[in-house]
Amino acid sequence: MVLDKEKIRESLTENDIELILLDLGSDKPKHDSKGNLIFTTVCHGGYKHKLYYYNETKLFHCYTDCSESFDIYSLVMKAKKQQGKDLTFYQAIQYVANLTGKHYSADSTLQKAESNLINDWEWINRFKKKEKINPVLPKYDTKVMDIFIHKPHELWLDEGISYETMKKFNICYYQREERIVIPHYSIDGDLVGIRSRALRQEDIDAGKKYMPLYIENRLYNHPTIYNLYGLHKTKEAIKRLKKVAIFEAEKSVLKCEDYYGEDNFSVAVCSSNISNYHRDLLISLGVEEVFLCFDKEFENHESEEAYEYAKKIMKFAQKFAPYARVYILWDEWGLLELKDSPVDKGREVLETLMKRKYEVGTISEVAI
């Protein structure tokens, strides 16, 4: 029988987690102020209660020697290794299933249907495992770029983005609509969308500051959840340095290009969200360190507004935590203004925030 690792993991209660951790050698757990379980650090053979379990994400984080995050299976493998026993991933699943009595089969629903002689294939098919989504991005003809003026606009030059950088990323100007043109390319260099920045005040006031271009009855849009701006230019630095800085907007990538040149390891999500596809794409490049550099959305870092925003950023961080070290740039010192990106006040401020960054785990205790 093939065990369903996802269903087993998601079904684990806190009592199940306590049972497993006690079997791995932990002392009885303590609780933090939010009710999260805190175990002794079986991950590296330690004795302090510094291994936190977050039931919402089903993840552990060690706040001492490891400074790593684990799901239950990777924790079992690491703890068993400390005891001199090397388990495979599937053996770790079997260990959890045997200890908790949760032997969910990957094909149990279909087997049950067949055993009851149900012959409604339409009904059975509703329970089949969904195939992994392979998104298809649009692929636009690059000739459309010929209608734009291939010169930098003074607005972005004044903001410190150089002519060389705008040329490298093919930033143009659309005179008819009075917009700065921002072409988006896939990791392979295909033109997948064209966004623009409005210069007319009436467009800005109408909420059309950034939007896809509409040219000759065609909207040059694309699903941003399936692409990362700048990756076609920065992927070599990301692979070489094994790190990535994730910003919200395209301008941040352009400014990092001027700051760091060939060592620019930034990308932009072009929204206020990080998708699982974004994560998987970056992890596939061998990323070992992730820096979340989102815009500042609060004025007082001790406010309820900041607390809620921190929870949102932490959810993004947890997407990467099982695969890489994750850091959050969080301004407690008034270095940025409301809505600023960490790059907006210059290289020195960005690097100050980098030095004062929070590793995932600490922000939940310090910043919020």
Side-chain angles (χ1 to χ4, degrees):
M1 179 179 69
V2 178
L3 294 170
D4 189 330
K5 63 182 186 298
E6 299 292 342
K7 188 172 181 180
I8 294 171
R9 180 171 54 207
E10 292 304 311
S11 70
L12 294 176
T13 65
E14 291 189 348
N15 287 336
D16 293 327
I17 293 296
E18 183 174 342
L19 176 66
I20 295 167
L21 267 290
L22 292 178
D23 192 70
L24 291 174
S26 173
D27 292 340
K28 290 286 288 185
K30 298 180 180 179
H31 295 81
D32 68 6
S33 60
K34 297 183 175 65
N36 296 308
L37 295 173
I38 313 172
F39 297 95
T40 50
T41 48
V42 296
C43 42
H44 61 262
Y47 60 90
K48 295 181 180 178
H49 280 80
K50 290 291 184 179
L51 180 62
Y52 282 62
Y53 176 68
Y54 299 99
N55 191 50
E56 183 178 349
T57 60
K58 304 293 185 184
L59 291 174
F60 296 85
H61 186 81
C62 174
Y63 285 91
T64 54
D65 293 10
C66 294
S67 295
E68 294 180 14
S69 295
F70 318 91
D71 71 357
I72 187 60
Y73 305 126
S74 56
L75 178 62
V76 166
M77 292 170 69
K78 194 168 178 67
K80 287 294 185 181
K81 191 175 183 66
Q82 288 292 323
Q83 300 169 5
K85 302 174 184 177
D86 286 322
L87 297 188
T88 65
F89 182 67
Y90 191 70
Q91 285 173 330
I93 299 172
Q94 288 179 310
Y95 168 84
V96 171
N98 291 339
L99 201 59
T100 62
K102 299 190 175 186
H103 295 89
Y104 297 124
S105 168
D107 56 355
S108 59
T109 303
L110 183 56
Q111 289 176 344
K112 181 179 178 181
E114 289 174 341
S115 67
N116 290 332
L117 301 178
I118 296 175
N119 196 29
D120 187 345
W121 291 106
E122 183 179 354
W123 181 87
I124 293 174
N125 286 335
R126 289 192 294 121
F127 293 90
K128 287 184 178 179
K129 187 176 180 180
K130 293 183 179 178
E131 294 182 3
K132 185 177 180 180
I133 297 174
N134 292 310
V136 178
L137 289 165
K139 188 174 179 180
Y140 298 115
D141 191 336
T142 56
K143 289 181 180 179
V144 68
M145 299 300 297
D146 295 340
I147 71 173
F148 308 126
I149 298 173
H150 288 256
K151 290 183 179 180
H153 193 276
E154 61 182 9
L155 177 68
W156 280 13
L157 288 172
D158 291 343
E159 290 191 32
I161 303 172
S162 70
Y163 170 79
E164 291 75 18
T165 289
M166 284 194 266
K167 182 178 180 181
K168 180 175 181 177
F169 286 80
N170 208 12
I171 305 298
C172 307
Y173 176 59
Y174 191 22
Q175 188 171 22
R176 190 176 77 180
E177 296 293 331
E178 294 184 42
R179 286 182 170 271
I180 296 172
V181 176
I182 314 166
H184 280 236
Y185 298 91
S186 71
I187 188 173
D188 298 317
D190 295 323
L191 180 65
V192 297
I194 307 175
R195 296 222 308 164
S196 63
R197 199 280 195 193
L199 299 173
R200 296 172 182 163
Q201 191 59 46
E202 57 265 34
D203 287 339
I204 297 173
D205 293 341
K208 300 177 181 178
K209 186 174 182 179
Y210 284 95
M211 60 181 298
L213 271 184
Y214 196 81
I215 305 168
E216 296 179 355
N217 297 320
R218 185 169 192 179
L219 183 65
Y220 284 80
N221 64 336
H222 72 292
T224 57
I225 63 170
Y226 296 136
N227 198 54
L228 288 164
Y229 179 79
L231 188 58
H232 69 300
K233 294 295 186 184
T234 63
K235 63 182 177 182
E236 295 306 321
I238 291 170
K239 288 192 286 188
R240 173 166 48 86
L241 299 172
K242 297 186 182 298
K243 58 180 68 177
V244 64
I246 304 175
F247 292 90
E248 287 190 43
E250 299 98 331
K251 277 199 310 181
S252 297
V253 175
L254 301 178
K255 289 185 177 182
C256 284
E257 182 68 23
D258 277 322
Y259 296 161
Y260 304 110
E262 292 182 356
D263 289 333
N264 178 12
F265 55 87
S266 66
V267 294
V269 291
C270 303
S271 70
S272 58
N273 186 41
I274 297 176
S275 70
N276 289 343
Y277 187 85
H278 290 151
R279 176 202 61 201
D280 295 345
L281 183 58
L282 292 171
I283 295 301
S284 74
L285 299 179
V287 166
E288 296 177 356
E289 293 182 287
V290 177
F291 301 83
L292 299 181
C293 310
F294 274 54
D295 294 355
K296 184 175 181 179
E297 296 291 346
F298 55 88
E299 293 182 337
N300 179 355
H301 76 274
E302 295 181 336
S303 65
E304 183 67 23
E305 181 182 33
Y307 175 79
E308 292 301 321
Y309 189 55
K311 288 200 297 184
K312 174 181 176 180
I313 301 301
M314 279 297 294
K315 288 181 180 179
F316 298 154
Q318 294 297 349
K319 289 178 182 287
F320 291 95
Y323 313 100
R325 296 177 75 96
V326 187
Y327 305 95
I328 297 172
L329 274 62
W330 188 263
D331 178 27
E332 294 185 9
W333 307 275
L335 301 176
L336 304 173
E337 297 177 30
L338 187 65
K339 303 295 183 181
D340 271 351
S341 162
V343 303
D344 282 348
K345 289 295 186 286
R347 180 171 177 170
E348 184 177 348
V349 169
L350 173 62
E351 292 179 355
T352 297
L353 291 170
M354 279 285 194
K355 290 176 184 177
R356 299 176 181 179
K357 64 187 177 294
Y358 288 103
E359 186 168 0
V360 166
T362 22
I363 191 169
S364 62
E365 296 184 347
V366 179
I368 63 174

mmCIF file with all atom_site columns, all heavy atoms in Angstrom, residues 112-128:
data_model
loop_
_atom_site.group_PDB
_atom_site.id
_atom_site.type_symbol
_atom_site.label_atom_id
_atom_site.label_alt_id
_atom_site.label_comp_id
_atom_site.label_asym_id
_atom_site.label_entity_id
_atom_site.label_seq_id
_atom_site.pdbx_PDB_ins_code
_atom_site.Cartn_x
_atom_site.Cartn_y
_atom_site.Cartn_z
_atom_site.occupancy
_atom_site.B_iso_or_equiv
_atom_site.pdbx_formal_charge
_atom_site.auth_seq_id
_atom_site.auth_comp_id
_atom_site.auth_asym_id
_atom_site.auth_atom_id
_atom_site.pdbx_PDB_model_num
ATOM 1   N N   . LYS A 1 112 ? -11.969 1.814  -2.029  1.00 0.00 ? 112 LYS A N   1
ATOM 2   C CA  . LYS A 1 112 ? -13.234 1.721  -1.319  1.00 0.00 ? 112 LYS A CA  1
ATOM 3   C C   . LYS A 1 112 ? -14.398 1.713  -2.304  1.00 0.00 ? 112 LYS A C   1
ATOM 4   O O   . LYS A 1 112 ? -15.351 0.938  -2.158  1.00 0.00 ? 112 LYS A O   1
ATOM 5   C CB  . LYS A 1 112 ? -13.366 2.901  -0.357  1.00 0.00 ? 112 LYS A CB  1
ATOM 6   C CG  . LYS A 1 112 ? -14.654 2.864  0.453   1.00 0.00 ? 112 LYS A CG  1
ATOM 7   C CD  . LYS A 1 112 ? -14.705 4.042  1.412   1.00 0.00 ? 112 LYS A CD  1
ATOM 8   C CE  . LYS A 1 112 ? -16.005 4.041  2.194   1.00 0.00 ? 112 LYS A CE  1
ATOM 9   N NZ  . LYS A 1 112 ? -16.092 5.198  3.116   1.00 0.00 ? 112 LYS A NZ  1
ATOM 10  N N   . ALA A 1 113 ? -14.318 2.520  -3.321  1.00 0.00 ? 113 ALA A N   1
ATOM 11  C CA  . ALA A 1 113 ? -15.394 2.576  -4.311  1.00 0.00 ? 113 ALA A CA  1
ATOM 12  C C   . ALA A 1 113 ? -15.537 1.242  -5.023  1.00 0.00 ? 113 ALA A C   1
ATOM 13  O O   . ALA A 1 113 ? -16.638 0.740  -5.235  1.00 0.00 ? 113 ALA A O   1
ATOM 14  C CB  . ALA A 1 113 ? -15.107 3.685  -5.324  1.00 0.00 ? 113 ALA A CB  1
ATOM 15  N N   . GLU A 1 114 ? -14.366 0.633  -5.365  1.00 0.00 ? 114 GLU A N   1
ATOM 16  C CA  . GLU A 1 114 ? -14.420 -0.632 -6.088  1.00 0.00 ? 114 GLU A CA  1
ATOM 17  C C   . GLU A 1 114 ? -14.941 -1.749 -5.181  1.00 0.00 ? 114 GLU A C   1
ATOM 18  O O   . GLU A 1 114 ? -15.690 -2.623 -5.620  1.00 0.00 ? 114 GLU A O   1
ATOM 19  C CB  . GLU A 1 114 ? -13.025 -0.973 -6.616  1.00 0.00 ? 114 GLU A CB  1
ATOM 20  C CG  . GLU A 1 114 ? -12.601 -0.046 -7.762  1.00 0.00 ? 114 GLU A CG  1
ATOM 21  C CD  . GLU A 1 114 ? -11.163 -0.293 -8.175  1.00 0.00 ? 114 GLU A CD  1
ATOM 22  O OE1 . GLU A 1 114 ? -10.403 -0.888 -7.376  1.00 0.00 ? 114 GLU A OE1 1
ATOM 23  O OE2 . GLU A 1 114 ? -10.803 0.116  -9.279  1.00 0.00 ? 114 GLU A OE2 1
ATOM 24  N N   . SER A 1 115 ? -14.570 -1.725 -3.896  1.00 0.00 ? 115 SER A N   1
ATOM 25  C CA  . SER A 1 115 ? -15.007 -2.785 -2.998  1.00 0.00 ? 115 SER A CA  1
ATOM 26  C C   . SER A 1 115 ? -16.509 -2.758 -2.780  1.00 0.00 ? 115 SER A C   1
ATOM 27  O O   . SER A 1 115 ? -17.120 -3.776 -2.481  1.00 0.00 ? 115 SER A O   1
ATOM 28  C CB  . SER A 1 115 ? -14.289 -2.666 -1.645  1.00 0.00 ? 115 SER A CB  1
ATOM 29  O OG  . SER A 1 115 ? -14.708 -1.480 -0.972  1.00 0.00 ? 115 SER A OG  1
ATOM 30  N N   . ASN A 1 116 ? -17.119 -1.591 -2.923  1.00 0.00 ? 116 ASN A N   1
ATOM 31  C CA  . ASN A 1 116 ? -18.568 -1.479 -2.770  1.00 0.00 ? 116 ASN A CA  1
ATOM 32  C C   . ASN A 1 116 ? -19.292 -1.646 -4.096  1.00 0.00 ? 116 ASN A C   1
ATOM 33  O O   . ASN A 1 116 ? -20.488 -1.396 -4.193  1.00 0.00 ? 116 ASN A O   1
ATOM 34  C CB  . ASN A 1 116 ? -18.912 -0.114 -2.173  1.00 0.00 ? 116 ASN A CB  1
ATOM 35  C CG  . ASN A 1 116 ? -18.486 -0.016 -0.722  1.00 0.00 ? 116 ASN A CG  1
ATOM 36  O OD1 . ASN A 1 116 ? -18.422 -1.012 -0.020  1.00 0.00 ? 116 ASN A OD1 1
ATOM 37  N ND2 . ASN A 1 116 ? -18.184 1.200  -0.290  1.00 0.00 ? 116 ASN A ND2 1
ATOM 38  N N   . LEU A 1 117 ? -18.566 -2.073 -5.125  1.00 0.00 ? 117 LEU A N   1
ATOM 39  C CA  . LEU A 1 117 ? -19.120 -2.337 -6.458  1.00 0.00 ? 117 LEU A CA  1
ATOM 40  C C   . LEU A 1 117 ? -19.812 -1.103 -7.043  1.00 0.00 ? 117 LEU A C   1
ATOM 41  O O   . LEU A 1 117 ? -20.827 -1.221 -7.740  1.00 0.00 ? 117 LEU A O   1
ATOM 42  C CB  . LEU A 1 117 ? -20.105 -3.518 -6.412  1.00 0.00 ? 117 LEU A CB  1
ATOM 43  C CG  . LEU A 1 117 ? -19.514 -4.837 -5.912  1.00 0.00 ? 117 LEU A CG  1
ATOM 44  C CD1 . LEU A 1 117 ? -20.600 -5.915 -5.874  1.00 0.00 ? 117 LEU A CD1 1
ATOM 45  C CD2 . LEU A 1 117 ? -18.362 -5.278 -6.813  1.00 0.00 ? 117 LEU A CD2 1
ATOM 46  N N   . ILE A 1 118 ? -19.275 0.067  -6.755  1.00 0.00 ? 118 ILE A N   1
ATOM 47  C CA  . ILE A 1 118 ? -19.816 1.286  -7.350  1.00 0.00 ? 118 ILE A CA  1
ATOM 48  C C   . ILE A 1 118 ? -19.258 1.419  -8.753  1.00 0.00 ? 118 ILE A C   1
ATOM 49  O O   . ILE A 1 118 ? -18.049 1.371  -8.960  1.00 0.00 ? 118 ILE A O   1
ATOM 50  C CB  . ILE A 1 118 ? -19.438 2.519  -6.506  1.00 0.00 ? 118 ILE A CB  1
ATOM 51  C CG1 . ILE A 1 118 ? -20.098 2.397  -5.121  1.00 0.00 ? 118 ILE A CG1 1
ATOM 52  C CG2 . ILE A 1 118 ? -19.878 3.802  -7.181  1.00 0.00 ? 118 ILE A CG2 1
ATOM 53  C CD1 . ILE A 1 118 ? -19.700 3.503  -4.165  1.00 0.00 ? 118 ILE A CD1 1
ATOM 54  N N   . ASN A 1 119 ? -20.134 1.604  -9.730  1.00 0.00 ? 119 ASN A N   1
ATOM 55  C CA  . ASN A 1 119 ? -19.697 1.628  -11.116 1.00 0.00 ? 119 ASN A CA  1
ATOM 56  C C   . ASN A 1 119 ? -19.930 2.997  -11.748 1.00 0.00 ? 119 ASN A C   1
ATOM 57  O O   . ASN A 1 119 ? -20.057 3.114  -12.953 1.00 0.00 ? 119 ASN A O   1
ATOM 58  C CB  . ASN A 1 119 ? -20.430 0.552  -11.922 1.00 0.00 ? 119 ASN A CB  1
ATOM 59  C CG  . ASN A 1 119 ? -19.728 0.289  -13.236 1.00 0.00 ? 119 ASN A CG  1
ATOM 60  O OD1 . ASN A 1 119 ? -18.522 0.454  -13.332 1.00 0.00 ? 119 ASN A OD1 1
ATOM 61  N ND2 . ASN A 1 119 ? -20.491 -0.112 -14.253 1.00 0.00 ? 119 ASN A ND2 1
ATOM 62  N N   . ASP A 1 120 ? -19.998 4.012  -10.929 1.00 0.00 ? 120 ASP A N   1
ATOM 63  C CA  . ASP A 1 120 ? -20.207 5.363  -11.444 1.00 0.00 ? 120 ASP A CA  1
ATOM 64  C C   . ASP A 1 120 ? -18.844 6.019  -11.635 1.00 0.00 ? 120 ASP A C   1
ATOM 65  O O   . ASP A 1 120 ? -18.276 6.618  -10.742 1.00 0.00 ? 120 ASP A O   1
ATOM 66  C CB  . ASP A 1 120 ? -21.054 6.174  -10.451 1.00 0.00 ? 120 ASP A CB  1
ATOM 67  C CG  . ASP A 1 120 ? -21.450 7.529  -11.003 1.00 0.00 ? 120 ASP A CG  1
ATOM 68  O OD1 . ASP A 1 120 ? -20.850 7.960  -11.997 1.00 0.00 ? 120 ASP A OD1 1
ATOM 69  O OD2 . ASP A 1 120 ? -22.355 8.148  -10.427 1.00 0.00 ? 120 ASP A OD2 1
ATOM 70  N N   . TRP A 1 121 ? -18.281 5.881  -12.836 1.00 0.00 ? 121 TRP A N   1
ATOM 71  C CA  . TRP A 1 121 ? -16.913 6.355  -13.077 1.00 0.00 ? 121 TRP A CA  1
ATOM 72  C C   . TRP A 1 121 ? -16.807 7.873  -12.963 1.00 0.00 ? 121 TRP A C   1
ATOM 73  O O   . TRP A 1 121 ? -15.754 8.395  -12.569 1.00 0.00 ? 121 TRP A O   1
ATOM 74  C CB  . TRP A 1 121 ? -16.440 5.880  -14.444 1.00 0.00 ? 121 TRP A CB  1
ATOM 75  C CG  . TRP A 1 121 ? -16.233 4.403  -14.453 1.00 0.00 ? 121 TRP A CG  1
ATOM 76  C CD1 . TRP A 1 121 ? -17.022 3.469  -15.048 1.00 0.00 ? 121 TRP A CD1 1
ATOM 77  C CD2 . TRP A 1 121 ? -15.213 3.680  -13.776 1.00 0.00 ? 121 TRP A CD2 1
ATOM 78  N NE1 . TRP A 1 121 ? -16.558 2.199  -14.804 1.00 0.00 ? 121 TRP A NE1 1
ATOM 79  C CE2 . TRP A 1 121 ? -15.426 2.309  -14.023 1.00 0.00 ? 121 TRP A CE2 1
ATOM 80  C CE3 . TRP A 1 121 ? -14.123 4.053  -12.978 1.00 0.00 ? 121 TRP A CE3 1
ATOM 81  C CZ2 . TRP A 1 121 ? -14.602 1.310  -13.511 1.00 0.00 ? 121 TRP A CZ2 1
ATOM 82  C CZ3 . TRP A 1 121 ? -13.293 3.060  -12.473 1.00 0.00 ? 121 TRP A CZ3 1
ATOM 83  C CH2 . TRP A 1 121 ? -13.536 1.709  -12.735 1.00 0.00 ? 121 TRP A CH2 1
ATOM 84  N N   . GLU A 1 122 ? -17.864 8.553  -13.273 1.00 0.00 ? 122 GLU A N   1
ATOM 85  C CA  . GLU A 1 122 ? -17.834 10.009 -13.122 1.00 0.00 ? 122 GLU A CA  1
ATOM 86  C C   . GLU A 1 122 ? -17.648 10.370 -11.651 1.00 0.00 ? 122 GLU A C   1
ATOM 87  O O   . GLU A 1 122 ? -16.898 11.288 -11.308 1.00 0.00 ? 122 GLU A O   1
ATOM 88  C CB  . GLU A 1 122 ? -19.126 10.632 -13.650 1.00 0.00 ? 122 GLU A CB  1
ATOM 89  C CG  . GLU A 1 122 ? -19.126 12.153 -13.577 1.00 0.00 ? 122 GLU A CG  1
ATOM 90  C CD  . GLU A 1 122 ? -20.416 12.735 -14.125 1.00 0.00 ? 122 GLU A CD  1
ATOM 91  O OE1 . GLU A 1 122 ? -21.242 11.977 -14.652 1.00 0.00 ? 122 GLU A OE1 1
ATOM 92  O OE2 . GLU A 1 122 ? -20.570 13.961 -14.016 1.00 0.00 ? 122 GLU A OE2 1
ATOM 93  N N   . TRP A 1 123 ? -18.297 9.631  -10.770 1.00 0.00 ? 123 TRP A N   1
ATOM 94  C CA  . TRP A 1 123 ? -18.165 9.875  -9.333  1.00 0.00 ? 123 TRP A CA  1
ATOM 95  C C   . TRP A 1 123 ? -16.747 9.538  -8.863  1.00 0.00 ? 123 TRP A C   1
ATOM 96  O O   . TRP A 1 123 ? -16.120 10.294 -8.125  1.00 0.00 ? 123 TRP A O   1
ATOM 97  C CB  . TRP A 1 123 ? -19.170 9.006  -8.582  1.00 0.00 ? 123 TRP A CB  1
ATOM 98  C CG  . TRP A 1 123 ? -19.126 9.201  -7.088  1.00 0.00 ? 123 TRP A CG  1
ATOM 99  C CD1 . TRP A 1 123 ? -19.793 10.136 -6.360  1.00 0.00 ? 123 TRP A CD1 1
ATOM 100 C CD2 . TRP A 1 123 ? -18.374 8.432  -6.149  1.00 0.00 ? 123 TRP A CD2 1
ATOM 101 N NE1 . TRP A 1 123 ? -19.508 10.007 -5.029  1.00 0.00 ? 123 TRP A NE1 1
ATOM 102 C CE2 . TRP A 1 123 ? -18.632 8.967  -4.869  1.00 0.00 ? 123 TRP A CE2 1
ATOM 103 C CE3 . TRP A 1 123 ? -17.504 7.340  -6.250  1.00 0.00 ? 123 TRP A CE3 1
ATOM 104 C CZ2 . TRP A 1 123 ? -18.056 8.456  -3.713  1.00 0.00 ? 123 TRP A CZ2 1
ATOM 105 C CZ3 . TRP A 1 123 ? -16.931 6.828  -5.105  1.00 0.00 ? 123 TRP A CZ3 1
ATOM 106 C CH2 . TRP A 1 123 ? -17.204 7.384  -3.855  1.00 0.00 ? 123 TRP A CH2 1
ATOM 107 N N   . ILE A 1 124 ? -16.216 8.412  -9.319  1.00 0.00 ? 124 ILE A N   1
ATOM 108 C CA  . ILE A 1 124 ? -14.875 7.989  -8.904  1.00 0.00 ? 124 ILE A CA  1
ATOM 109 C C   . ILE A 1 124 ? -13.832 8.999  -9.367  1.00 0.00 ? 124 ILE A C   1
ATOM 110 O O   . ILE A 1 124 ? -12.901 9.337  -8.627  1.00 0.00 ? 124 ILE A O   1
ATOM 111 C CB  . ILE A 1 124 ? -14.559 6.585  -9.469  1.00 0.00 ? 124 ILE A CB  1
ATOM 112 C CG1 . ILE A 1 124 ? -15.464 5.548  -8.809  1.00 0.00 ? 124 ILE A CG1 1
ATOM 113 C CG2 . ILE A 1 124 ? -13.086 6.242  -9.255  1.00 0.00 ? 124 ILE A CG2 1
ATOM 114 C CD1 . ILE A 1 124 ? -15.328 4.159  -9.400  1.00 0.00 ? 124 ILE A CD1 1
ATOM 115 N N   . ASN A 1 125 ? -13.966 9.487  -10.582 1.00 0.00 ? 125 ASN A N   1
ATOM 116 C CA  . ASN A 1 125 ? -12.967 10.397 -11.133 1.00 0.00 ? 125 ASN A CA  1
ATOM 117 C C   . ASN A 1 125 ? -12.845 11.699 -10.351 1.00 0.00 ? 125 ASN A C   1
ATOM 118 O O   . ASN A 1 125 ? -11.818 12.373 -10.409 1.00 0.00 ? 125 ASN A O   1
ATOM 119 C CB  . ASN A 1 125 ? -13.283 10.710 -12.600 1.00 0.00 ? 125 ASN A CB  1
ATOM 120 C CG  . ASN A 1 125 ? -12.973 9.541  -13.509 1.00 0.00 ? 125 ASN A CG  1
ATOM 121 O OD1 . ASN A 1 125 ? -12.134 8.703  -13.176 1.00 0.00 ? 125 ASN A OD1 1
ATOM 122 N ND2 . ASN A 1 125 ? -13.644 9.472  -14.654 1.00 0.00 ? 125 ASN A ND2 1
ATOM 123 N N   . ARG A 1 126 ? -13.899 12.053 -9.623  1.00 0.00 ? 126 ARG A N   1
ATOM 124 C CA  . ARG A 1 126 ? -13.830 13.283 -8.830  1.00 0.00 ? 126 ARG A CA  1
ATOM 125 C C   . ARG A 1 126 ? -12.791 13.159 -7.722  1.00 0.00 ? 126 ARG A C   1
ATOM 126 O O   . ARG A 1 126 ? -12.309 14.160 -7.205  1.00 0.00 ? 126 ARG A O   1
ATOM 127 C CB  . ARG A 1 126 ? -15.195 13.592 -8.202  1.00 0.00 ? 126 ARG A CB  1
ATOM 128 C CG  . ARG A 1 126 ? -16.226 14.049 -9.199  1.00 0.00 ? 126 ARG A CG  1
ATOM 129 C CD  . ARG A 1 126 ? -17.453 14.612 -8.500  1.00 0.00 ? 126 ARG A CD  1
ATOM 130 N NE  . ARG A 1 126 ? -18.184 13.605 -7.740  1.00 0.00 ? 126 ARG A NE  1
ATOM 131 C CZ  . ARG A 1 126 ? -18.402 13.686 -6.439  1.00 0.00 ? 126 ARG A CZ  1
ATOM 132 N NH1 . ARG A 1 126 ? -17.928 14.695 -5.746  1.00 0.00 ? 126 ARG A NH1 1
ATOM 133 N NH2 . ARG A 1 126 ? -19.084 12.745 -5.820  1.00 0.00 ? 126 ARG A NH2 1
ATOM 134 N N   . PHE A 1 127 ? -12.434 11.929 -7.370  1.00 0.00 ? 127 PHE A N   1
ATOM 135 C CA  . PHE A 1 127 ? -11.520 11.714 -6.253  1.00 0.00 ? 127 PHE A CA  1
ATOM 136 C C   . PHE A 1 127 ? -10.109 11.376 -6.713  1.00 0.00 ? 127 PHE A C   1
ATOM 137 O O   . PHE A 1 127 ? -9.234  11.148 -5.909  1.00 0.00 ? 127 PHE A O   1
ATOM 138 C CB  . PHE A 1 127 ? -12.042 10.583 -5.361  1.00 0.00 ? 127 PHE A CB  1
ATOM 139 C CG  . PHE A 1 127 ? -13.316 10.961 -4.669  1.00 0.00 ? 127 PHE A CG  1
ATOM 140 C CD1 . PHE A 1 127 ? -14.548 10.712 -5.260  1.00 0.00 ? 127 PHE A CD1 1
ATOM 141 C CD2 . PHE A 1 127 ? -13.287 11.595 -3.432  1.00 0.00 ? 127 PHE A CD2 1
ATOM 142 C CE1 . PHE A 1 127 ? -15.714 11.069 -4.629  1.00 0.00 ? 127 PHE A CE1 1
ATOM 143 C CE2 . PHE A 1 127 ? -14.467 11.948 -2.796  1.00 0.00 ? 127 PHE A CE2 1
ATOM 144 C CZ  . PHE A 1 127 ? -15.683 11.693 -3.389  1.00 0.00 ? 127 PHE A CZ  1
ATOM 145 N N   . LYS A 1 128 ? -9.888  11.339 -8.002  1.00 0.00 ? 128 LYS A N   1
ATOM 146 C CA  . LYS A 1 128 ? -8.541  11.071 -8.483  1.00 0.00 ? 128 LYS A CA  1
ATOM 147 C C   . LYS A 1 128 ? -7.638  12.254 -8.167  1.00 0.00 ? 128 LYS A C   1
ATOM 148 O O   . LYS A 1 128 ? -8.073  13.398 -8.161  1.00 0.00 ? 128 LYS A O   1
ATOM 149 C CB  . LYS A 1 128 ? -8.549  10.815 -9.993  1.00 0.00 ? 128 LYS A CB  1
ATOM 150 C CG  . LYS A 1 128 ? -9.147  9.466  -10.364 1.00 0.00 ? 128 LYS A CG  1
ATOM 151 C CD  . LYS A 1 128 ? -9.034  9.239  -11.849 1.00 0.00 ? 128 LYS A CD  1
ATOM 152 C CE  . LYS A 1 128 ? -9.582  7.867  -12.230 1.00 0.00 ? 128 LYS A CE  1
ATOM 153 N NZ  . LYS A 1 128 ? -9.509  7.644  -13.685 1.00 0.00 ? 128 LYS A NZ  1
#
